Amino acid sequence: REAGRCAALQSEADEQSASLERIRGEHVATAAELREQRSLSQQLEDQLRICSSEGDTRLADLQAELASREAVALQQLRQELGSTVEREAGRCAALQSAADEQSASLERAR
């Protein structure tokens, strides 16, 4: 009777041991998978950091280029405006001179 009970306990202990080995194996596999996922996550973070840095550099380059183009365009507009103002000022002076001559001529005619 004791031998049967010992055999049953031994069988149960063997089952528990086998179960623990399975759980340990699953744990080892899960831990390995987690390490791999952590490594992949770190790689993605590194790539994101690099892309972000490259993006910041590209943005700064584009902003500098835009500022340069705006400055050139603004300078061209100033020059064109200056030329237009000078031309119109000349016309106004000519019209004023003609108006003054006509006014003087009318005064003489009276």
Side-chain angles (χ1 to χ4, degrees):
R1 201 168 63 160
E2 287 297 317
R5 196 183 305 155
C6 282
L9 287 173
Q10 184 62 47
S11 178
E12 186 178 338
D14 290 345
E15 287 177 23
Q16 292 275 339
S17 180
S19 178
L20 285 173
E21 283 301 315
R22 275 193 311 276
I23 291 171
R24 188 176 303 141
E26 291 170 3
H27 172 74
V28 168
T30 301
E33 187 177 329
L34 285 173
R35 281 192 297 277
E36 183 180 339
Q37 291 299 322
R38 191 176 301 133
S39 175
L40 289 173
S41 176
Q42 184 63 46
Q43 289 174 7
L44 289 173
E45 286 178 17
D46 292 345
Q47 288 176 355
L48 180 60
R49 222 176 279 113
I50 290 168
C51 288
S52 178
S53 176
E54 290 173 352
D56 290 346
T57 300
R58 180 69 177 133
L59 177 60
D61 291 346
L62 290 173
Q63 287 172 333
E65 183 179 343
L66 178 61
S68 175
R69 287 183 182 189
E70 286 176 343
V72 170
L74 186 58
Q75 183 61 31
Q76 287 175 339
L77 288 173
R78 284 182 182 145
Q79 289 174 350
E80 290 173 11
L81 181 59
S83 297
T84 301
V85 167
E86 287 178 22
R87 188 172 51 251
E88 293 303 315
R91 279 190 201 165
C92 284
L95 288 172
Q96 185 63 49
S97 179
D100 290 346
E101 285 179 24
Q102 283 186 351
S103 180
S105 176
L106 286 174
E107 285 296 321
R108 283 192 301 270
R110 281 189 195 169

